[in-house]
Amino acid sequence: MSSKTSLVLLFSLSLLLPNWLQAEPIKGFGLYLSVGDLQISDSSTEQNYAESYAYGGIVDYQWTASNYFSVRLFGGEHIGSAQQPNKPDYNYFKTGLFGLEARVWAGSSWFLGVQAGQAYLTWIESMESYTKIAWTNQSGYGVGFESNDGWTFAIYTHKTESMKFEDLPDQRVEGIRLETGYRWK
């Protein structure tokens, strides 16, 4: 493609983009229930430890940055059931994520989001006994719908880098999670 054709195409898209992208995000706090098919695996062997869905919650605050762009600060936790092979009495895991999401709004209520931040993982035997909490970077992206009255439904991918444990193999978390909840105006 020639540079002249590229310029014409870019100019045409810049004229169409404001008509297609129209933000109507609600500024404020949101609270969401979340269920995920999160897979915890050994970083070196790719052995998957998860045996069930992970359930949890997410809280966020969203700012409107322009007519078609918003930023979301979020944090949440999920707990699920799996057996840690190196510690057979540890049958549950808890993972959390904290970060920022940039959202581009399409139409009146649909959005595409890209996330980055930090995540952690710990294995649980009982309320008094759990492994060291390992932290690493996380990223993901998603698509969702937020109605004008605040109800939200979204689906996200989630992937962490390798988490280093002292007494366990290095591990990573990845998968898909669904969020449904409400944002207060």
Side-chain angles (χ1 to χ4, degrees):
M1 184 183 312
S2 73
S3 61
K4 191 173 189 178
T5 306
S6 298
L7 284 173
V8 170
L9 182 60
L10 185 61
F11 180 73
S12 300
L13 283 175
S14 70
L15 292 175
L16 295 174
L17 200 59
N19 294 326
W20 179 71
L21 297 172
Q22 177 183 348
E24 291 188 15
I26 301 169
K27 179 180 174 181
F29 285 98
L31 184 61
Y32 310 92
L33 294 175
S34 180
V35 61
D37 184 12
L38 302 179
Q39 299 170 358
I40 300 173
S41 59
D42 183 312
S43 295
S44 59
T45 66
E46 300 298 321
Q47 178 186 2
N48 186 5
Y49 304 144
E51 296 174 356
S52 72
Y53 286 102
Y55 303 92
I58 306 258
V59 64
D60 76 357
Y61 189 87
Q62 180 169 265
W63 293 272
T64 301
S66 73
N67 290 4
Y68 56 92
F69 185 74
S70 68
V71 177
R72 172 187 185 221
L73 177 65
F74 66 91
E77 288 188 325
H78 293 83
I79 190 164
S81 175
Q83 187 173 34
Q84 172 47 251
N86 296 354
K87 291 188 178 270
D89 294 337
Y90 288 67
N91 294 315
Y92 299 95
F93 65 89
K94 183 165 71 166
T95 184
L97 60 152
F98 303 93
L100 284 173
E101 176 182 355
R103 287 181 172 178
V104 176
W105 293 80
S108 60
S109 300
W110 291 94
F111 63 85
L112 299 171
V114 177
Q115 300 180 344
Q118 292 284 294
Y120 69 84
L121 173 65
T122 186
W123 288 92
I124 303 168
E125 178 183 30
S126 67
M127 293 299 281
E128 296 85 28
S129 180
Y130 53 90
T131 64
K132 174 188 168 223
I133 296 173
W135 288 87
T136 192
N137 296 326
Q138 66 91 16
S139 62
Y141 58 91
V143 61
F145 176 84
E146 187 169 283
S147 68
N148 291 333
D149 58 359
W151 291 102
T152 303
F153 177 78
I155 184 168
Y156 286 96
T157 66
H158 174 79
K159 185 173 185 174
T160 71
E161 293 180 3
S162 184
M163 294 184 220
K164 300 189 182 317
F165 288 86
E166 292 173 4
D167 55 346
L168 294 172
D170 296 348
Q171 299 164 49
R172 81 182 88 203
V173 179
E174 62 184 290
I176 295 175
R177 69 180 192 279
L178 301 173
E179 293 179 16
T180 186
Y182 184 78
R183 180 174 314 286
W184 286 268
K185 297 179 185 184

